[in-house]
């Protein structure tokens, strides 16, 4: 998917919501436990209920890998069902990969050509030749970890270095030379709202994938205040607060309501920033 | 597997060789192409031919994931077959994972309890809470990326920071507080031989997993010179130079010969350092 297509979808749906498909087998509604593939049934029900309110889905591969090869089959089936039924939605494989060149090429082939996702999250620690192989496939995106929303992000990402920058700033500045803003995005944790100002000085135009809004306590207002661009430039991810809005048989309806609430808040910001027209 | 058990196996086999099981479908010998699962057949043939000369196997998950869910099934079958037939060998899932707490817990459960490997490689960028969940399972190991052997390692790992250290040194110094040397090892690229001296000042006792010997040009003599400890403290990985020693029908025999050559060189170093007794 091109950057322009993504922006059009954001304007069409008046939303920059990304929904994390992180199905924890222990948290699935009891009513699904008898299904042949409870996780796949859960994903389909959540997607049907929320697709009108979001522009992207982000399955975190850990939740599927932890179920073994059958879990990976569920992941593949979820992605192919999404592509078939909701072709306009942007699909992010949250895999946080990072490996040397020939191995990274295997991952790129796996995610982009076998699993047919639009984007893969990649970790920067191993440097340019662990990222470049993901950038050779037009219409497919690398979403590089820059500043994460977890407590441990302070251990290394915030270290000041001899270049007078924090590590995550050096990651942004160096990596933006590896590809353009039509093939790279960055993960920036929402719990660090004000840091978005510094980040926008380095990458004014790149899309940011912002986790940590909702369950992890980040504020959507802060993210918009400090991170939005004339093209929106944001994908805000929410997982648990939407997909586990209810654990009863009304789980899908509750997820739809939670997604619609976020979409409406996002629409008001998009109007306020004149990215979409004022409501009649 | 405990540290003491690993050391005993090294002394028993007079080897600290780890063999990377990275089966590239395009490089498999033609004679296997008709097998129901060519990769599994390749792995079993390589393992049978090399098990006497090594103490560890390291399948790189990228090579299996790139084949989709069927590839992950092959990975699981390779590991369970190894555990059943060669229970003394240390099995490393080279996955380079790194994710926030609840996701990392899913990975830890997946690798240690579902796939039953002994160790998982983990990336440090996200900090302590992305590593800790892998340390809660006695007898199971985290092998943390510190200094990798690829060109891109210089992009971030060698950055001097305000603590007066390179990033990889800070990773070593901080992370060694997260677990003990009976549950943590470090990946240290062999192409940086002399840096092993600095690394041993920070972690004198931890085992190091050293990739990049052979195909990537690192020198085993340098690794031993600067990295060996009284307990050996080294696992030296070789992948392509052993498993692709021949692409003809004698591939297994050629792999066995290549592994035996490395084992004999390693035995001479173990004797020279009096870690094993002199030959009669």
């Amino acid at each position: 998917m091109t950057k322009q297509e993504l922006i059009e979808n954001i304007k069409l749906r008046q939303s920059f919501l990304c929904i994390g498909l992180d199905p924890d087998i222990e948290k699935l509604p009891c009513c699904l436990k008898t299904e042949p593939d409870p996780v796949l049934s859960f994903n389909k029900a959540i997607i049907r209920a929320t697709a009108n309110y979001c522009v992207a889905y982000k399955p975190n591969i850990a939740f599927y890998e932890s179920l073994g090869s059958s879990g990976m089959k569920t992941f593949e089936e979820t992605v192919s069902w999404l592509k078939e039924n909701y072709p306009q939605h942007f699909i992010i494989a949250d895999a946080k990969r990072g490996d040397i060149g020939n191995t990274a090429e295997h991952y790129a082939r796996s995610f982009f050509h076998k699993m047919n996702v639009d984007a893969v999250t990649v970790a920067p620690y191993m440097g340019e030749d662990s990222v470049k192989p993901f950038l050779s496939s037009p219409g497919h995106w690398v979403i590089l970890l820059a500043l994460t929303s977890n407590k441990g992000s302070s251990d290394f990402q915030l270290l000041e270095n001899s270049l007078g920058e924090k590590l995550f700033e050096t990651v942004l500045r160096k990596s933006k030379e590896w590809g353009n803003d039509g093939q790279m995005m960055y993960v920036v944790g929402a719990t660090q709202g004000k840091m978005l100002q510094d980040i926008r000085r380095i990458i004014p135009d790149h899309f940011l994938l912002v986790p940590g809004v909702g369950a992890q306590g980040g504020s959507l207002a802060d993210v918009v205040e400090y991170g939005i661009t004339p093209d929106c430039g944001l994908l805000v991810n929410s997982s648990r607060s939407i997909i586990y809005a209810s654990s009863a048989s009304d789980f899908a309806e509750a997820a739809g309501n939670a997604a619609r609430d976020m979409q409406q808040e996002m629409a008001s910001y998009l109007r306020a920033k004149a990215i979409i027209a004022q409501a009649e």
Side-chain angles (χ1 to χ4, degrees), chain A:
Chain A
M1 184 180 297
T2 68
K3 185 177 181 182
Q4 202 49 46
E5 287 169 328
L6 178 60
I7 294 166
E8 290 311 317
N9 291 338
I10 287 170
K11 292 177 177 177
L12 175 72
R13 294 196 159 68
Q14 309 195 340
S15 170
F16 45 96
L17 177 60
C18 174
I19 296 178
L21 296 173
D22 307 344
D24 186 334
I25 198 81
E26 286 140 29
K27 291 185 185 169
L28 294 189
C30 303
C31 55
L32 294 177
K33 297 246 161 95
T34 56
E35 296 281 322
D37 184 343
V39 171
L40 185 60
S41 302
F42 178 77
N43 287 348
K44 288 182 178 180
I46 292 287
I47 291 163
R48 285 194 194 94
T50 58
N52 288 340
Y53 309 120
C54 69
V55 293
Y57 288 101
K58 181 177 72 64
N60 186 321
I61 287 192
F63 288 80
Y64 301 85
E65 284 184 325
S66 65
L67 304 173
S69 55
S70 67
M72 285 310 290
K73 196 160 185 310
T74 302
F75 173 84
E76 290 169 21
E77 288 172 355
T78 298
V79 169
S80 61
W81 183 84
L82 251 173
K83 276 278 164 210
E84 189 181 333
N85 295 280
Y86 300 93
Q88 288 186 315
H89 284 68
F90 190 73
I91 306 177
I92 301 163
D94 193 3
K96 301 187 177 68
R97 296 299 188 255
D99 211 321
I100 59 173
N102 68 327
T103 313
E105 281 160 23
H106 278 270
Y107 275 131
R109 201 181 315 149
S110 172
F111 288 115
F112 293 147
H113 301 299
K114 195 164 184 73
M115 301 181 191
N116 198 25
V117 301
D118 297 295
V120 181
T121 58
V122 176
Y125 192 71
M126 293 181 71
E128 179 171 7
D129 56 350
S130 69
V131 175
K132 274 284 184 79
F134 290 92
L135 294 171
S136 58
S137 181
H140 291 130
W141 297 69
V142 164
I143 307 181
L144 197 65
L145 300 187
L147 182 60
T148 56
S149 55
N150 60 311
K151 183 167 168 296
S153 63
S154 61
D155 288 329
F156 307 119
Q157 296 167 28
L158 300 182
L159 275 177
E160 290 275 351
N161 58 46
S162 56
L163 305 169
E165 303 173 309
K166 297 188 172 68
L167 176 58
F168 79 89
E169 295 172 314
T170 307
V171 167
L172 291 170
R173 199 175 40 72
K174 282 196 174 190
S175 64
K176 73 177 182 179
E177 307 300 328
W178 302 342
N180 60 52
D181 64 3
Q183 48 183 173
M184 288 187 80
M185 301 185 185
Y186 292 94
V187 172
V188 175
T191 56
Q192 328 244 2
K194 282 187 178 289
M195 284 197 186
L196 283 166
Q197 284 179 312
D198 308 329
I199 288 165
R200 279 305 185 196
R201 282 192 206 100
I202 304 171
I203 45 164
D205 302 319
H206 286 71
F207 261 83
L208 306 180
L209 173 63
V210 184
V213 170
Q216 291 175 56
S219 145
L220 182 56
D222 278 0
V223 172
V224 170
E225 175 65 22
Y226 301 112
I228 204 159
T229 72
D231 284 336
C232 182
L234 295 172
L235 289 174
V236 169
N237 184 77
S238 191
S239 302
R240 284 165 281 174
S241 59
I242 290 176
I243 69 176
Y244 300 127
S246 163
S247 58
S249 56
D250 67 340
F251 73 96
E253 184 187 357
N257 293 337
R260 194 192 55 239
D261 291 347
M262 284 202 75
Q263 181 272 324
Q264 289 178 352
E265 188 181 355
M266 289 175 169
S268 68
Y269 292 127
L270 290 170
R271 281 191 293 271
K273 301 288 180 181
I275 294 169
I276 59 175
Q278 294 299 321
E280 305 303 298

